[in-house]
Amino acid sequence: MTTTADPHSGGLRRRPTDATADDATRLDKATSRAVRSRSLRLLGDLLRPRTRALALAGVLVVVATLGQVAGPWLVALAIDDAVPAVTDGRPTTLVAVGAAYLVAAVVGGLCAGAYVRAAARIAQGVLLELRRRVFRHTQRLSLEFHESYTSGRIISRQTSDLEALRELLDGGLTGVVSSLLLMVFTGASLFLLDWRSGLVLAAALVPAWLLTRWFQHRSQLYYREQRTASARLIVKFVETMTGMRAVQAFRREATTEAEYNRLGEEYRDANLRIFSVNGRYQPGLVLIGNVTVAVALAVGGWRALEGTLEVGVLVAALLYVKRFFQPIQQLGMFYNALQSAVAALEKVSGLLAEEPTVVEPRNPVPLPHARGELRLDHVTFRYGAGPVVLPDLDLRIPAGQTVALVGSTGAGKSTLAKLVTRFYDATEGRVLLDGTDVRDLSTPDLRRAVVMVTQEAYLFSGSVRENIALGRPDASQAEIEAAARAVGAHDFILAMPEGYDTDVNKRGGRVSAGQRQLLSFARAFLADPAVLVLDEATSSLDLPGERLVQHGLQTLLADRTAIIIAHRLSTVAIADRVLVMEHGRVVEDGPPGDLAAGDGRFAALHTAWRDSLV
Amino acid sequence: MPDTPRDRSRPSPPAPSSVTPHPAGSQLSTFASVRRLYPFVRPAVPRLIAGFLSALGASLAALAIPRVLQAMVEGPLADSIDSHDVGTLVGPVLLVLGLGLLEGGLILLRRNLVMYPGTRVEAVMRMALFRHLQDLPVAFHDRWPGGQLLSRIMGDLGLLRRWLIFGLLQLVVSAITIVVGVGILLATAGWLGLVYLAGAIPVTIIVFRFSRRYRVIARLSQDQSGDLATTVEESVHGIRVLKAFGRGRDALESFTGQAEELRRTEIRKAGSQATITTSLQLIPELTLAVCLVLGVLLAADGQMTVGTLVAFFMTTAVINGPVVDLGMTLSMTLNARTAVDRYFEVMETPNRVADPAHPVEAPTPRGHVALSDVTFGYEDAARPVLEHVDLELPAGTTTALVGLTGSGKSTLALLVPRIFDVTAGAVELDGVDVRRLRRADVRARVAVAFEDPTLFSASVRENVLLGVADTLPAAEREARLHEALDVAQARFAYDLPDGVDTRIGEEGLSLSGGQRQRLALARAIASRPPVLVLDDPLAALDVATEEAVTARLREVLAATTSLVIAHRPSTVALADRVAVLQDGRITAVGTHSALLATDAHYRHVISSLEQDWARSERPVETDLANRPGTDRPSTKEAAL
């Protein structure tokens, strides 16, 4: 789904920082229509490549239905014709009917089974495709988006929203075909038999249509509410489970439970509203059908009494009318599933319609071997519409230089790091790597050249080895071990129960914060980038660990560009150059020794730090 | 994720199943397994029964309408054709209309009867699970991946809801229709009935085998869905790492592999369901073919009337529908059963860190903490993390806990508020074993600032006042908030867009690591506990801020028993005394300077980086060394 600017969807385009817009359910008419058509487009988009499979499934279900319908007809034939024939000593009819029954049973049964298989294959193919799309898209979306959309919401898009689509596809996107066919056949037969009774049937379609319209409006709204309520419930759940330590330590169980209960009740209410609107729609359809039968009986009966309609025809006509409405329940169920899936796809397509604010270049400039020269060319930066964080930063970092960024919180150090690594794009000005605007580099080239290690060293479930190999997936065991050795992680890894194969468990539960940072350092060693950005990457290390990392860094950084953000000035010692930042500006710039010897901010910081070492 | 830190070859049961050796309920029969729902479903039983009766009534009305039509038209109506008496129409029309209204009304009734209990049971079970999950210790949450829990509380419970509303009812209606129908056949059709019943033998065998196989696949598919959810969750939580290393594509590949696996399972599941669908449609129809031939022969022979034959096939026509539906209903039931298993797997996980049956009333807090002969090992770990640890934290003192990364400091600290329980030995708070106290009482007395500052999607105010009783007067709460922000040097909160009411956390403003840590510290301070546990509280702070925090924190800590995990001399400076943790044991306790003088390990852990500077040959070093006023020797002295 690459839909971008739909002229009508103006209302939909939201800043990614606005997660509440995602929860909106009562949309104005134009927006509602746009959202809906976006969702249907996505559905069509997913089904189109499977037209043939869908057609085949349709055929299978029709044949299966025919097989089932053929049974009673053959039974009637047997009783009416075969019994007298056998009595007369002519068994051929019985043999023929019996054989036909067998064939109908076998064909019908096999087709019914084949249909189940075919439908599942379609449903699963569509789901896999959509799962991939959503996953790929969320990975593509910029950090700016992720910082507000919440993981829970993405998870709910990937789980419960897709479940709704699956119900539609499993529940008989093609099963509807046989229902419709049956209705068309029955209706046509009725018209051929007695067109006046046919008109009664046609008249019944008016209230049925009105009821369906009512249902459509209601259920659309309620299904939207349900999707939103479910997402909220998931967001709350994910957040609570992720922060369980804090919840328990601060005895927030009761409060959290009350909150979760409130959301759970909202979800239940949404479900109830759906059940109740659907619980009126379905019996409503049945009722319309039954009333039509009564009306047809009254009209037909009157005509029979008048002598304008034969009684035999009346019986047949009435049975046709009755039969016409039999599949309508199934159609109603299908329509309900469709409404549910479309509401879910509204959310999913909304996520897919989010444009990354950091865009991949159309014609990337290749950069196979970066040297690591950085230049910030009059860069201005602000987060969204927020205040300017970096006003006009102009900076040149030669290849191979190690630069330490120093300054208080909010001075813009991390922002600078995020610009260099292109987590964000500069509002004005350019960031150049080896003379090329980073916006012109392909993601693989850029990520190979520039790597950042952050303070929060996230570990994925899996083994220690796999977590380090994230730095370079094709690395050999020897290379992985070398990286671990370089940062001093090798020993503690070997001390773990299964060494490099030890599972780090959920969120690295068994590894201390310091060890996690070491592992994340090892990743960076392994990645071997031209530019390395360290954002508070050593804050949780103990001093011996930090010492080891410092040693490692000295070798590692010898031939590459590095930007180090650290509160500990010990790290600064290995820098060639220190930049002291304040309010987004560089206020001091020079080798650490020179700055420390001067009387500026760095000198003051340096003195304070030395005092703190005692 | 990239390159899948997840064992793809893992046979099937999810990570958690290795946790519980016997996945709850997997060895139970489907009935026994589902019966565990009874306590939750009990209040809904009358409505379910009424709903079932309505469903039955509606089907009867539906069945009656065509019969009545035919009888009416061929009977009274045909009789009065000659009399042209329109009045004879009124009765039949009203009867048909009445039956029609009855059917619609009963369906409406059924839906209304069933939807409340269905959703209510789901909501109650969801809350029960949530409550249990909040009650279960952190150790449980460390083991269980988030996606597995999420798929249980959303996916599985949703399955159950749908089963309760549609599946259960249909199962009962189908079963009754089939039993009654077959009974009628046996009673009225003699031999033919027996032949039809004979078809039940292969059907039963097939259904039985199907159930066994389908259950396994259904379980696998639900577990794989949970794993997929876990991967999604991790890919979002770890998005910064994935982006920083440009591993989006690898993550996608690994995710695709997993999703593909789930797809295969689902298709296998569909294959199994296709088999049962075919069997349930084919076998009755085949027996009917036999019955047809046999019946015609019997009728031709005069051993059976044609009327009986007609009645036989009309009855089988009624049964066949439910028999075919049985395949669907059965798989729905088996899915629900698996959902029940998965649900109870968590619900029946015993809480090893539970409140005691007869809790001791907590004494007036003084804040004296003692760890005596404490050993702690994670359940599945070979070696304990802590062994025979003795440590006393006298009331009102501040103890720094120093040790290498991974030496067990954080684990030790978490024993005090009973986030973990000791494996052997005891942790005592004011002379009472913490395991004899209510967890809430312990945690009200012990506040923690974790090394990973977890902030919730809420305002700064709510986050900081997390541990402060809601019952406290508003003014007092405000005062606590301001004091805590002040001490933790978190006054930046006032400058946020909405001040202390700014929403932070995942759904709000993102803060820097240092900011988050200061708020976490403020949160611990705000609850003014008798015992404070600070896990490396100043790690992410810059020197100036650290100094400011230290100065104010000392005042706060003066009257509080505190355990401070420290990596640096500046943090140790907060403490009155230092305990050294090495290889799971406390090897020394003393003052900073005393330990520096006597304990080599302590020196190794805590001494500054200055020596390294000296060893280094970088020019910077020389610069610094030659810088006038550089007091390297004195620092070195201090370090020694």
Side-chain angles (χ1 to χ4, degrees):
Chain A
M1 183 87 169
T2 47
T3 344
T4 45
D6 180 331
H8 301 294
S9 63
L12 303 175
R13 308 265 310 160
R14 57 189 149 84
R15 291 195 311 110
T17 36
D18 188 8
T20 47
D22 188 66
D23 287 351
T25 48
R26 286 169 197 275
L27 309 170
D28 62 75
K29 226 168 184 172
T31 316
S32 171
R33 198 169 304 139
V35 169
R36 203 174 163 80
S37 75
R38 185 183 68 199
S39 157
L40 286 170
R41 233 175 7 243
L42 175 60
L43 184 61
D45 208 30
L46 290 166
L47 291 178
R48 204 164 306 118
R50 297 180 173 78
T51 320
R52 287 178 63 176
L54 279 168
L56 177 69
V59 169
L60 284 174
V61 81
V62 168
V63 173
T65 315
L66 285 179
Q68 269 181 301
V69 173
W73 179 73
L74 288 169
V75 168
L77 203 66
I79 292 172
D80 294 346
D81 298 351
V83 174
V86 172
T87 319
D88 298 346
R90 287 179 288 111
T92 28
T93 324
L94 179 60
V95 172
V97 170
Y101 202 105
L102 270 178
V103 170
V106 171
V107 170
L110 289 180
C111 283
Y115 163 70
V116 170
R117 242 177 273 245
R121 203 160 284 137
I122 294 168
Q124 291 303 319
V126 166
L127 285 177
L128 180 65
E129 165 74 23
L130 193 55
R131 280 201 178 105
R132 272 178 52 89
R133 277 196 204 186
V134 174
F135 192 92
R136 188 173 50 214
H137 195 75
T138 47
Q139 288 294 320
R140 263 185 66 216
L141 283 169
S142 324
L143 217 54
E144 193 181 352
F145 171 83
H146 284 283
E147 279 173 355
S148 73
Y149 195 76
T150 76
S151 54
R153 214 170 252 115
I154 290 175
I155 294 166
S156 92
R157 298 291 96 93
Q158 277 275 30
T159 55
S160 72
D161 286 348
L162 291 194
E163 202 53 38
L165 175 64
R166 181 217 161 119
E167 265 164 47
L168 171 74
L169 298 171
D170 270 0
L173 185 57
T174 43
V176 78
V177 172
S178 66
S179 304
L180 271 179
L181 273 182
L182 216 59
M183 287 176 83
V184 168
F185 277 135
T186 318
S189 313
L190 180 62
F191 265 96
L192 289 177
L193 184 75
D194 175 41
W195 65 269
R196 287 186 181 83
S197 297
L199 285 185
V200 173
L201 189 67
L205 292 180
V206 176
W209 185 74
L210 288 175
L211 183 67
T212 302
R213 288 288 294 174
W214 169 83
F215 173 71
Q216 186 196 326
H217 281 296
R218 281 301 153 111
S219 65
Q220 185 178 321
L221 179 64
Y222 294 155
Y223 271 119
R224 266 182 205 147
E225 286 178 358
Q226 185 210 29
R227 288 340 302 159
T228 304
S230 133
R232 285 207 187 111
L233 198 58
I234 290 176
V235 167
K236 183 76 195 168
F237 182 78
V238 170
E239 189 181 66
T240 308
M241 292 303 131
T242 315
M244 191 48 82
R245 273 163 204 258
V247 169
Q248 293 194 348
F250 290 94
R251 295 159 284 120
R252 296 322 279 176
E253 291 96 335
T255 324
T256 321
E257 189 185 316
E259 177 71 3
Y260 189 74
N261 191 38
R262 188 178 63 73
L263 294 171
E265 286 301 304
E266 269 175 29
Y267 180 56
R268 185 175 106 94
D269 285 345
N271 275 328
L272 269 184
R273 274 195 290 275
I274 287 166
F275 279 129
S276 113
V277 67
N278 191 33
R280 274 177 277 172
Y281 175 58
Q282 302 262 4
L285 289 177
V286 172
L287 208 62
I288 288 172
N290 285 345
V291 170
T292 311
V293 172
V295 171
L297 175 65
V299 173
W302 182 70
R303 282 165 60 213
L305 292 177
E306 290 293 295
T308 51
L309 187 68
E310 281 177 47
V311 171
V313 177
L314 174 61
V315 173
L318 287 178
L319 289 179
Y320 275 134
V321 174
K322 178 68 190 151
R323 199 180 299 160
F324 179 84
F325 284 102
Q326 257 157 17
I328 208 165
Q329 282 235 53
Q330 205 180 344
L331 276 187
M333 266 157 70
F334 164 76
Y335 194 62
N336 182 42
L338 180 69
Q339 288 287 82
S340 163
V342 169
L345 284 180
E346 281 178 5
K347 298 286 183 197
V348 175
S349 64
L351 175 59
L352 289 176
E354 287 288 346
E355 285 297 313
T357 44
V358 172
V359 194
E360 180 104 347
R362 229 170 253 283
N363 301 305
V365 176
L367 184 71
H369 304 291
R371 286 177 296 113
E373 185 207 335
L374 284 171
R375 166 122 170 73
L376 278 80
D377 182 10
H378 296 283
V379 164
T380 304
F381 182 77
R382 63 202 316 179
Y383 289 95
V388 173
V389 185
L390 297 179
D392 192 39
L393 188 68
D394 201 58
L395 191 65
R396 193 187 293 272
I397 300 175
Q401 192 173 61
T402 301
V403 177
L405 293 183
V406 176
S408 55
T409 296
K413 306 182 302 274
S414 291
T415 306
L416 194 154
K418 286 177 188 164
L419 289 177
V420 170
T421 48
R422 222 190 153 213
F423 276 22
Y424 284 83
D425 273 341
T427 313
E428 274 168 57
R430 298 181 301 163
V431 177
L432 305 169
L433 173 63
D434 292 347
T436 311
D437 194 322
V438 289
R439 283 172 295 199
D440 292 334
L441 294 174
S442 73
T443 307
D445 277 355
L446 177 67
R447 297 299 171 211
R448 192 168 50 242
V450 184
V451 157
M452 171 147 87
V453 181
T454 59
Q455 183 186 21
E456 40 190 76
Y458 189 86
L459 295 187
F460 295 93
S461 59
S463 68
V464 171
R465 178 210 321 281
E466 287 161 329
N467 267 292
I468 297 177
L470 193 132
R472 185 151 54 85
D474 58 355
S476 69
Q477 173 68 17
E479 287 169 314
I480 290 173
E481 276 181 32
R485 261 199 201 93
V487 300
H490 184 68
D491 290 339
F492 89 78
I493 296 173
L494 282 192
M496 295 171 97
E498 291 165 67
Y500 281 85
D501 292 316
T502 310
D503 200 299
V504 295
N505 270 334
K506 187 188 171 195
R507 306 205 72 184
R510 290 300 168 73
V511 195
S512 77
Q515 290 171 332
R516 225 157 53 209
Q517 286 194 337
L518 286 179
L519 290 179
S520 113
F521 249 108
R523 272 178 195 157
F525 262 77
L526 196 60
D528 192 26
V531 179
L532 184 62
V533 181
L534 306 177
D535 189 355
E536 284 297 330
T538 55
S539 60
S540 296
L541 295 186
D542 53 31
L543 292 174
E546 193 171 332
R547 231 170 287 161
L548 267 170
V549 169
Q550 302 282 24
H551 273 298
L553 276 180
Q554 288 186 8
T555 13
L556 177 75
L557 301 186
D559 55 347
R560 72 192 77 225
T561 314
I563 298 178
I564 303 176
I565 301 174
H567 294 139
R568 315 265 152 224
L569 294 200
S570 48
T571 322
V572 173
I574 59 164
D576 304 318
R577 177 184 176 192
V578 172
L579 298 174
V580 181
M581 290 185 73
E582 193 154 299
H583 304 303
R585 291 176 198 282
V586 174
V587 290
E588 286 174 40
D589 181 352
D594 291 4
L595 291 184
D599 51 3
R601 288 163 208 274
F602 184 71
L605 281 172
H606 193 256
T607 311
W609 169 66
R610 293 178 83 72
D611 293 346
S612 80
L613 288 176
V614 185
Chain B
M1 287 202 3
D3 231 41
T4 358
R6 173 189 304 279
D7 184 3
R8 286 225 209 122
S9 62
R10 186 177 57 215
S12 60
S17 67
S18 59
V19 174
T20 29
H22 300 290
S26 66
Q27 68 280 33
L28 296 176
S29 75
T30 297
F31 179 73
S33 168
V34 172
R35 205 176 50 193
R36 288 179 290 178
L37 283 179
Y38 185 66
F40 294 105
V41 178
R42 196 174 45 208
V45 165
R47 269 171 170 267
L48 284 176
I49 290 177
F52 162 71
L53 292 177
S54 321
L56 212 61
S59 338
L60 287 180
L63 281 177
I65 292 174
R67 297 289 151 83
V68 171
L69 277 179
Q70 198 151 10
M72 286 299 162
V73 173
E74 286 169 352
L77 200 62
D79 296 342
S80 51
I81 283 250
D82 303 325
S83 61
H84 296 285
D85 180 6
V86 180
T88 49
L89 256 183
V90 177
V93 168
L94 286 183
L95 184 58
V96 168
L97 193 63
L99 281 171
L101 291 177
L102 184 68
E103 188 195 357
L106 283 173
I107 295 179
L108 186 71
L109 186 66
R110 187 201 85 205
R111 289 195 165 253
N112 277 300
L113 279 169
V114 173
M115 73 184 187
Y116 287 100
T119 52
R120 169 53 57 207
V121 168
E122 183 198 15
V124 169
M125 287 181 72
R126 175 169 293 128
M127 278 322 291
L129 181 56
F130 189 77
R131 212 172 294 126
H132 188 63
L133 284 174
Q134 287 210 96
D135 191 53
L136 280 169
V138 164
F140 170 88
H141 291 277
D142 284 347
R143 281 197 315 259
W144 278 70
Q148 285 294 352
L149 298 178
L150 180 74
S151 68
R152 278 167 172 81
I153 207 161
M154 291 304 291
D156 288 343
L157 287 183
L159 265 174
L160 262 182
R161 175 189 69 221
R162 286 192 289 277
W163 181 71
L164 280 174
I165 289 181
F166 300 111
L168 178 61
L169 215 69
Q170 207 182 339
L171 189 69
V172 173
V173 172
S174 296
I176 289 184
T177 317
I178 293 170
V179 169
V180 170
V182 171
I184 291 174
L185 288 184
L186 285 176
T188 59
W191 278 107
L192 287 190
L194 281 178
V195 171
Y196 190 77
L197 190 62
I201 297 169
V203 166
T204 311
I205 295 172
I206 289 171
V207 162
F208 185 73
R209 284 179 43 188
F210 161 78
S211 301
R212 228 177 17 192
R213 203 175 33 200
Y214 188 85
R215 231 172 64 195
V216 176
I217 311 177
R219 171 76 209 214
L220 182 62
S221 125
Q222 276 154 330
D223 287 343
Q224 285 177 345
S225 301
D227 282 345
L228 205 61
T230 305
T231 303
V232 172
E233 185 178 341
E234 289 190 349
S235 78
V236 183
H237 282 151
I239 188 81
R240 280 176 189 77
V241 174
L242 292 176
K243 274 201 183 298
F245 287 92
R247 290 288 166 251
R249 206 158 302 190
D250 304 84
L252 176 66
E253 261 172 47
S254 138
F255 172 81
T256 305
Q258 256 185 297
E260 174 64 39
E261 214 177 321
L262 174 61
R263 187 183 83 100
R264 275 198 297 272
T265 308
E266 284 291 337
I267 286 182
R268 260 178 65 206
K269 198 165 108 184
S272 169
Q273 206 180 332
T275 313
I276 192 85
T277 304
T278 301
S279 313
L280 286 179
Q281 193 162 335
L282 199 58
I283 296 173
E285 290 288 346
L286 287 181
T287 55
L288 279 184
V290 175
C291 289
L292 186 63
V293 173
L294 193 65
V296 168
L297 291 176
L298 285 174
D301 204 32
Q303 292 186 39
M304 184 186 244
T305 64
V306 172
T308 317
L309 196 58
V310 171
F312 172 82
F313 279 103
M314 279 174 73
T315 315
T316 57
V318 175
I319 307 177
N320 269 5
V323 170
V324 170
D325 284 348
L326 205 61
M328 211 54 146
T329 343
L330 209 60
S331 21
M332 202 172 176
T333 306
L334 290 169
N335 281 329
R337 179 252 150 97
T338 312
V340 172
D341 283 352
R342 280 166 48 89
Y343 176 85
F344 280 102
E345 207 169 276
V346 177
M347 281 303 277
E348 289 170 1
T349 304
N351 187 354
R352 299 227 165 81
V353 189
D355 285 335
H358 306 287
V360 173
E361 282 312 313
T364 326
R366 286 178 296 121
H368 181 271
V369 177
L371 282 78
S372 42
D373 199 23
V374 164
T375 297
F376 177 85
Y378 290 99
E379 263 174 59
D380 51 350
R383 270 185 321 137
V385 181
L386 302 170
E387 276 177 288
H388 308 292
V389 167
D390 283 301
L391 182 63
E392 195 174 343
L393 310 178
T397 60
T398 299
T399 307
L401 188 60
V402 175
L404 286 175
T405 267
S407 59
K409 302 186 298 294
S410 298
T411 309
L412 189 151
L414 293 179
L415 293 174
V416 182
R418 269 197 94 196
I419 300 290
F420 293 119
D421 259 351
V422 296
T423 311
V427 177
E428 286 178 4
L429 180 60
D430 293 331
V432 182
D433 189 327
V434 288
R435 285 169 297 184
R436 294 173 60 206
L437 297 167
R438 273 184 219 95
R439 280 168 296 169
D441 287 342
V442 177
R443 290 169 191 167
R445 286 164 170 74
V446 183
V448 198
F450 297 100
E451 53 186 348
D452 292 324
T454 307
L455 298 180
F456 293 97
S457 298
S459 65
V460 171
R461 181 199 309 278
E462 289 166 274
N463 266 295
V464 171
L465 296 180
L466 204 63
V468 177
D470 301 327
T471 48
L472 227 56
E476 172 69 15
R477 286 167 62 86
E478 266 326 270
R480 293 264 191 108
L481 171 70
H482 297 311
E483 193 206 4
L485 289 177
D486 195 48
V487 172
Q489 302 297 310
R491 280 181 301 260
F492 66 86
Y494 299 112
D495 301 329
L496 296 174
D498 297 317
V500 290
D501 292 312
T502 308
R503 197 173 167 82
I504 53 173
E506 228 201 340
E507 282 189 282
L509 206 70
S510 18
L511 301 173
S512 78
Q515 290 174 322
R516 287 207 307 270
Q517 194 166 40
R518 278 179 276 168
L519 287 182
L521 183 60
R523 174 158 72 196
I525 297 168
S527 60
R528 292 216 189 135
V531 180
L532 193 56
V533 174
L534 304 176
D535 194 348
D536 207 6
L538 312 172
L541 307 189
D542 60 68
V543 179
T545 318
E546 181 177 357
E547 206 173 15
V549 174
T550 315
R552 293 296 315 272
L553 207 53
R554 262 202 212 98
E555 298 167 24
V556 175
L557 299 187
T560 312
T561 314
S562 357
L563 182 64
V564 182
I565 293 177
H567 282 138
R568 280 155 230 287
S570 51
T571 320
V572 171
L574 284 169
D576 307 319
R577 55 194 207 124
V578 179
V580 181
L581 189 64
Q582 186 181 2
D583 297 327
R585 293 163 195 271
I586 298 281
T587 51
V589 179
T591 62
H592 175 61
S593 43
L595 286 174
L596 273 183
T598 56
D599 195 291
H601 183 67
Y602 184 65
R603 265 201 305 277
H604 168 66
V605 175
I606 207 75
S607 67
S608 73
L609 297 172
E610 297 285 290
Q611 296 103 321
D612 289 50
W613 287 33
R615 269 185 242 119
S616 160
E617 288 163 14
R618 286 174 71 93
V620 172
E621 249 7 84
T622 357
D623 284 348
L624 276 173
N626 296 340
R627 187 165 67 86
T630 305
D631 45 359
R632 265 209 12 249
S634 69
T635 315
K636 232 178 177 175
E637 260 168 38
L640 293 166

